Amino acid sequence: MITSYDAGRFDVIVIGAGHAGCESALAAARMGCQTLLLTINLDAVAYMPCNPSVGGPAKGHVVREIDALGGEMGKNTDKTHIQMRLLNTGKGPAVHALRAQADKFAYQHQMKSTIESTPNLILRQAMVEELIVNDGVCEGVITQTGARYLAKAVVLTTGTYLRGKIILGDLQYESGPNNMRPSIRLAHHLKELGFEIVRFKTGTPPRVHKSSVDFDKMEIQPGDAEPRAFSYETTEYITDQLPCWLTYTNAETHELINSNLHRAPMYSGAIEGTGPRYCPSIEDKVVRFNDKPRHQIFLEPEGRHTEEMYVQGLSTSLPEDVQLSMLRSMAGMEQVKMMRPGYAIEYDAIVPTQLWPSLETKVVKQLFTAGQINGTSGYEEAAAQGLMAGINAARSVQGKEPVILGREDAYIGVLIDDLVTKGTNEPYRLLTSRAEYRLLLRHDNADLRLTDIGHEIGLISEARYQRFCQKREMIEREKERILTTRVRPDNKTVQEVLRQAGSPDLTEVIELGQLLRRPELTYEHIHQIAPADVELPADVREQVEIQIKYDGYIRKSLQQVERMKKVEEKRIPANIDYHQISGMAKEARQKMDKIRPLNIGQASRISGVNPADISVLMIYLEQFNRSHVNS
């Protein structure tokens, strides 16, 4: 029996120092709370057990939003990446997305250094085994060594460590990612507290030795020549980028997989957890898409000072000998040396409909959860939840209302609303298609959407906020100039610029804004015709062009938002007894009673609730409110 002892009191305790835990602890500490960050292994802070990359479609938007709110992921990536690219540039601005190849070791070290130097924040190695819960309120944690840490709020960010089990061919053993210690007792404790638990699965591909790869047989994938950054504060850019490489599976690879499916845990029944739909294993891809003759495989460096390369697209739990044969069947890897095999990992997660939109649990007060424990996949989704959980844990300690982002405010709002309202029966991945207002939630305007909020809650410095306000003012001034300045058809400069751009000649007096709305014209063409008084920064020019060129679509989206807000504003009293509402379908009553939606908008997004149920609910609420006013 381990003797317990009082180890200290804090405002906020964060359990787990992955991407969710780091953001959570930094946010709480920067908001003035005495914060303790506990992790199983100090050498695994901000560890990237899977793909060493940050960003991509929807995920890159989230990293920008994290930065606009005052989080760290974007800054950390800007300081440590080995390659950066802007994706989907051939499409509209709503789906442009920044993606960085990270140096996984530099990323870890930089994040750990930031945490260690942050005031109000203590980083400590410990295995948390129990939560201290009294009268339904979380008041601290107990570690494996018997240390009792008390707190006013606790944030749980355990990633894939809860009852983690690695599966590789016929081999199975309890473990966290990459053979780290799993968290067993805490997983059982959460069940004892009454949480509904699900079993999920994720996986990772093999790593290979760089010197054993023949890159002449592969296609090079360089970074962008133009300097780019996630953070709005970044002013120094990394220019010496490392390339990634592209090869493909082939008929031989697919034959190897098909002939060894009986040894694949995915198909033998050895894996019980549900895997991510949008990041399937290579064996799953070959079986499900058997009409495809090949699949893309990217070789990505894991860092500047390592020979290890990540084989993106080849996630697998097949036996080691099959993995090596698969690798050597592809062009450029005929003589490859495998440094680590791929594997699957199963872990416990809580059903996320047990959370309020603040990410506080409904089962235990003052306990917040974030990251893969909530059923998500991806570093970016985890970091976003960690940031919001840290913010709201701190605000609960400070006696303030939680910050809840709407679906019209941010991809972070879409992510959290989807989780707490709809739940998920597989590891959740954020996609641009999940956002109904994606034209408003662009990667380029995250600061315009969220910096005011970041400043108000104390995560954006006064100096940064003043710079932001100046940028916003420059955008509005330049938009006003372009929308009110007229040009005449007898202006030779105008006609020459139009001809060079392949645009029809001007035949009447029009505003510059009308010219800018022509698909073939950009802000640079307008600048040639009528230069601004001062040279404007590139991000200001970009905003002016997007806001004017897509004005009609943006207005339409804003009108949809306004209509939806009227519904969202109709709040549902906390003491409503849904089982007393006659005329509503039984499934709708059960789902609403479980999720306890805060307003009509959230209620309408619950799976299994139809428009007729919402109509019945609104009539009931009118009667309910009238009776309570009269009484």
Side-chain angles (χ1 to χ4, degrees):
M1 182 76 177
I2 300 295
T3 303
S4 66
Y5 68 97
D6 291 334
R9 293 172 178 266
F10 296 85
D11 293 320
V12 176
I13 294 175
V14 179
I15 304 170
H19 303 282
C22 289
E23 294 290 351
S24 192
L26 285 168
R30 288 167 174 170
M31 291 169 69
C33 290
Q34 294 300 315
T35 305
L36 174 65
L37 176 57
L38 297 174
T39 178
I40 291 174
N41 186 349
L42 281 179
D43 298 325
V45 172
Y47 182 62
M48 292 180 163
C50 201
N51 191 2
S53 73
V54 173
K59 292 169 175 281
H61 295 64
V62 166
V63 180
R64 272 288 177 98
E65 292 174 354
I66 290 169
D67 183 73
L69 288 166
E72 196 65 26
M73 178 174 261
K75 296 185 187 71
N76 205 60
T77 305
D78 290 349
K79 293 173 186 174
T80 59
H81 69 271
I82 57 179
Q83 186 193 103
M84 199 171 282
R85 300 175 71 185
L86 185 63
L87 308 180
N88 298 328
T89 52
K91 301 177 181 178
V95 292
H96 290 178
L98 204 54
R99 182 184 185 273
Q101 193 64 27
D103 183 321
K104 66 185 292 182
F105 307 104
Y107 187 96
Q108 282 182 259
H109 295 152
Q110 180 63 43
M111 186 67 84
K112 185 167 182 273
S113 176
T114 299
I115 288 167
E116 289 171 337
S117 61
T118 297
N120 303 322
L121 180 54
I122 293 175
L123 175 63
R124 196 166 290 170
Q125 183 167 293
M127 169 78 79
V128 172
E129 295 203 323
E130 286 187 31
L131 304 176
I132 301 170
V133 179
N134 291 311
D135 297 325
V137 179
C138 189
E139 297 178 351
V141 305
I142 302 174
T143 72
Q144 189 179 48
T145 60
R148 292 170 55 90
Y149 295 100
L150 300 181
K152 299 170 185 173
V154 173
V155 184
L156 200 53
T157 68
T158 50
T160 60
Y161 286 80
L162 289 179
R163 283 204 311 130
K165 180 169 74 171
I166 281 181
I167 304 166
L168 173 54
D170 296 327
L171 177 66
Q172 297 186 21
Y173 56 94
E174 288 185 339
S175 175
N178 199 28
N179 293 327
M180 294 187 199
R181 293 175 67 199
S183 178
I184 306 298
R185 174 67 192 113
L186 182 59
H188 293 301
H189 181 61
L190 291 175
K191 280 188 178 180
E192 292 165 3
L193 289 172
F195 283 97
E196 186 181 349
I197 304 294
V198 289
R199 193 78 170 151
F200 281 166
K201 165 257 171 190
T202 188
T204 189
R207 272 66 158 182
V208 299
H209 199 289
K210 182 178 180 180
S211 66
S212 66
V213 178
D214 185 353
F215 294 111
D216 291 338
K217 295 181 180 179
M218 299 182 176
E219 300 170 32
I220 192 168
Q221 305 284 302
D224 289 350
E226 182 181 341
R228 301 191 186 279
F230 279 111
S231 176
Y232 291 94
E233 288 196 283
T234 296
T235 56
E236 295 182 9
Y237 301 90
I238 293 173
T239 55
D240 57 329
Q241 302 186 77
L242 301 183
C244 296
W245 303 85
L246 172 63
T247 187
Y248 298 89
T249 61
N250 52 47
E252 183 185 348
T253 320
H254 296 188
E255 174 56 30
L256 277 164
I257 292 168
N258 284 318
S259 62
N260 284 282
L261 282 179
H262 64 285
R263 302 178 67 194
M266 282 281 296
Y267 292 90
S268 68
I271 291 178
E272 58 181 276
T274 305
R277 178 191 305 262
Y278 299 104
C279 188
S281 66
I282 187 63
E283 47 265 42
D284 208 20
K285 283 191 278 191
V286 168
V287 171
R288 283 167 51 195
F289 308 107
N290 56 20
D291 57 321
K292 288 188 177 291
R294 65 181 191 174
H295 296 282
Q296 288 184 327
I297 302 295
F298 292 92
L299 262 69
E300 302 170 338
E302 294 230 313
R304 293 184 185 276
H305 307 293
T306 178
E307 289 290 295
E308 244 181 305
M309 299 197 80
Y310 181 92
V311 188
Q312 164 76 342
L314 205 75
S315 178
T316 182
S317 56
L318 280 161
E320 269 190 65
D321 59 309
V322 181
Q323 292 190 35
L324 183 58
S325 297
M326 282 195 303
L327 288 166
R328 290 183 172 175
S329 70
M330 290 179 274
M333 290 199 285
E334 293 85 354
Q335 305 298 321
V336 80
K337 294 176 182 175
M338 184 168 68
M339 297 181 72
R340 307 186 202 215
Y343 60 85
I345 182 168
E346 286 187 343
Y347 57 95
D348 285 352
I350 68 167
V351 174
T353 51
Q354 298 169 103
L355 306 174
W356 297 110
S358 64
L359 297 181
E360 183 182 16
T361 73
K362 298 171 183 175
V363 179
V364 177
K365 293 178 182 178
Q366 295 303 105
L367 175 65
F368 298 76
T369 60
Q372 284 180 280
I373 190 176
N374 289 345
T376 57
S377 66
Y379 309 141
E380 303 85 355
E381 289 92 335
Q385 293 171 71
L387 177 65
M388 299 312 298
I391 288 170
N392 288 329
R395 287 178 71 85
S396 73
V397 169
Q398 295 164 352
K400 297 176 181 176
E401 288 295 308
V403 174
I404 298 172
L405 301 176
R407 299 180 71 89
E408 73 283 1
D409 297 321
Y411 272 94
I412 297 174
V414 174
L415 163 67
I416 294 175
D417 183 65
D418 278 354
L419 289 174
V420 305
T421 304
K422 302 174 183 177
T424 183
N425 55 12
E426 62 189 34
Y428 175 101
R429 178 177 180 171
L430 198 56
L431 307 166
T432 53
S433 58
R434 296 191 193 273
E436 57 270 52
Y437 306 119
R438 57 185 171 274
L439 186 56
L440 301 178
L441 309 183
R442 303 184 309 276
H443 122 285
D444 59 81
N445 70 349
D447 60 336
L448 297 173
R449 292 184 276 119
L450 299 172
T451 304
D452 283 324
I453 297 173
H455 178 252
E456 184 184 338
I457 61 181
L459 291 178
I460 296 293
S461 69
E462 197 59 39
R464 175 175 174 179
Y465 188 63
Q466 289 307 315
R467 289 194 300 272
F468 162 73
C469 290
Q470 289 168 7
K471 172 186 173 179
R472 184 162 55 186
E473 197 176 313
M474 282 191 282
I475 293 168
E476 293 306 316
R477 275 205 311 265
E478 182 64 357
K479 278 174 58 183
E480 179 68 18
R481 183 184 78 86
I482 289 176
L483 292 171
T484 56
T485 300
R486 294 187 159 204
V487 288
R488 301 170 56 86
D490 58 2
N491 186 317
K492 292 181 180 178
T493 303
V494 173
Q495 303 294 21
E496 180 59 28
V497 169
L498 294 180
R499 283 191 209 101
Q500 288 182 0
S503 191
D505 286 354
L506 201 61
T507 58
E508 59 182 351
V509 177
I510 63 171
E511 288 85 15
L512 289 173
Q514 289 177 265
L515 280 181
L516 185 51
R517 291 191 182 102
R518 292 186 181 184
E520 66 277 6
L521 297 183
T522 67
Y523 177 87
E524 298 310 315
H525 294 114
I526 302 304
H527 184 66
Q528 291 174 43
I529 293 168
D533 295 336
V534 295
E535 186 67 24
L536 296 172
D539 56 347
V540 171
R541 298 197 300 270
E542 177 187 44
Q543 277 308 304
V544 170
E545 179 175 332
I546 290 172
Q547 291 185 29
I548 292 177
K549 193 176 280 290
Y550 295 94
D551 178 63
Y553 298 104
I554 292 171
R555 283 179 187 272
K556 207 170 280 186
S557 292
L558 289 171
Q559 288 167 2
Q560 290 176 333
V561 169
E562 285 307 309
R563 284 196 296 271
M564 195 61 201
K565 271 188 175 176
K566 290 176 182 175
V567 178
E568 295 280 358
E569 285 167 2
K570 293 179 180 174
R571 297 189 66 80
I572 301 174
N575 59 341
I576 285 284
D577 184 353
Y578 291 98
H579 296 291
Q580 297 299 314
I581 306 177
S582 58
M584 185 185 287
K586 183 178 180 181
E587 181 186 4
R589 291 200 301 268
Q590 290 173 340
K591 291 281 184 70
M592 288 196 197
D593 185 58
K594 179 181 179 182
I595 292 169
R596 311 299 301 180
L598 301 180
N599 52 55
I600 294 292
Q602 187 185 2
S604 68
R605 293 190 292 274
I606 297 173
S607 176
V609 173
N610 60 47
D613 298 318
I614 296 299
S615 296
V616 171
L617 175 61
M618 290 179 73
I619 292 169
Y620 179 84
L621 286 178
E622 283 183 27
Q623 296 170 344
F624 181 90
N625 292 332
R626 206 177 304 132
S627 66
H628 279 68
V629 168
N630 293 336
S631 62

